[in-house]
Amino acid sequence: MPDQPPARRTQRERREEAERKVLAAATALIAQHGSRALTLAEVGQAAGYSRGIVSHHFGSRENLLRAVVRDARTFPLPDPDNSAADWLAGLVRAYLENVAGRRPSARAFLQMWGEAIAADPVLMPLYAEEDAGFRRLVADKVREGHGDGSVRADADPEAMAVFLVGLLRGIALQLISTPPPEPVEAIIEEAERSTRRALEP
């Protein structure tokens, strides 16, 4: 029986593939050079398309950067069935392992975070929203830990959230420096241990 010709891809599949390629290209370029000089034409060329396809799918440079931030912040979270303290310690490990894994998305996220701190007019509001959401997630887990008894009762949720996000971002920036500090696993273990000590009743 003759081989069947490959099924034609749907318009949706072609669109999703183009968006994935554009996001991957933008992420890789930002990881290497930051976002300030990034142009839609450069991204389109790196993705194997024209500038027009980037504009067609994302509309503007700001929307493209927003999509990169949203995509780059994704990493596996700990088991939700863990106690709140175990979940938070696991979050610290997962976050730092993601950065230490040298994924371009993690580097791009941190590069843009540094640019946002330097008052980039596009990235500043994006990261203000991103950081506020991250702190809310951590603060809610601290409150959950008050309820399940895994977090000390006098731990202030908002203050603990600032502490943990600061711990993660500070270590992460060092992990993407050149050369990165060693040994990475010992650094992650210390961060996880410090988190458990800060939370324990």
Side-chain angles (χ1 to χ4, degrees):
M1 185 173 179
D3 291 339
Q4 295 293 318
R8 289 181 53 142
R9 290 180 303 160
T10 65
Q11 184 177 355
R12 178 179 177 179
E13 287 170 336
R14 289 195 301 272
R15 184 180 69 245
E16 288 174 351
E17 180 185 18
E19 287 178 0
R20 280 196 305 273
K21 286 183 176 179
V22 167
L23 271 179
T27 299
L29 289 167
I30 292 167
Q32 292 172 3
H33 309 295
S35 71
R36 289 188 176 171
L38 188 76
T39 66
L40 298 186
E42 181 184 25
V43 173
Q45 183 178 13
Y49 299 106
S50 67
R51 177 192 189 283
I53 196 107
V54 184
S55 298
H56 174 72
H57 286 289
F58 294 94
S60 67
R61 182 176 175 277
E62 180 176 352
N63 286 341
L64 175 61
L65 292 178
R66 186 182 293 275
V68 171
V69 169
R70 191 169 52 243
D71 185 62
R73 72 183 178 192
T74 306
F75 62 95
L77 290 174
D79 187 338
D81 293 333
N82 291 345
S83 72
D86 284 343
W87 191 92
L88 287 163
L91 174 71
V92 167
R93 171 168 286 279
Y95 187 101
L96 295 177
E97 284 179 343
N98 180 57
V99 173
R102 293 303 205 228
R103 289 177 59 229
S105 58
R107 181 183 263 298
F109 184 92
L110 292 163
Q111 290 265 41
M112 289 189 288
W113 185 64
E115 293 168 8
I117 290 172
D120 182 286
V122 172
L123 294 175
M124 221 165 78
L126 294 183
Y127 275 86
E129 178 185 331
E130 175 67 27
D131 286 354
F134 196 9
R135 289 192 298 269
R136 275 194 305 275
L137 173 68
V138 173
D140 287 346
K141 273 293 175 180
V142 172
R143 290 188 189 91
E144 186 181 313
H146 290 161
D148 69 19
S150 65
V151 173
R152 57 186 169 85
D154 65 342
D156 180 278
E158 280 70 31
M160 188 60 72
V162 172
F163 164 73
L164 287 178
V165 172
L167 176 80
L168 290 174
R169 293 282 167 77
I171 294 173
L173 286 173
Q174 293 180 71
L175 291 178
I176 68 164
S177 64
T178 306
E182 295 287 351
V184 171
E185 180 55 32
I187 293 166
I188 294 173
E189 285 178 4
E190 285 295 343
E192 185 179 7
R193 190 178 299 119
S194 295
T195 301
R196 290 188 184 280
R197 285 179 186 149
L199 297 169
E200 66 186 2

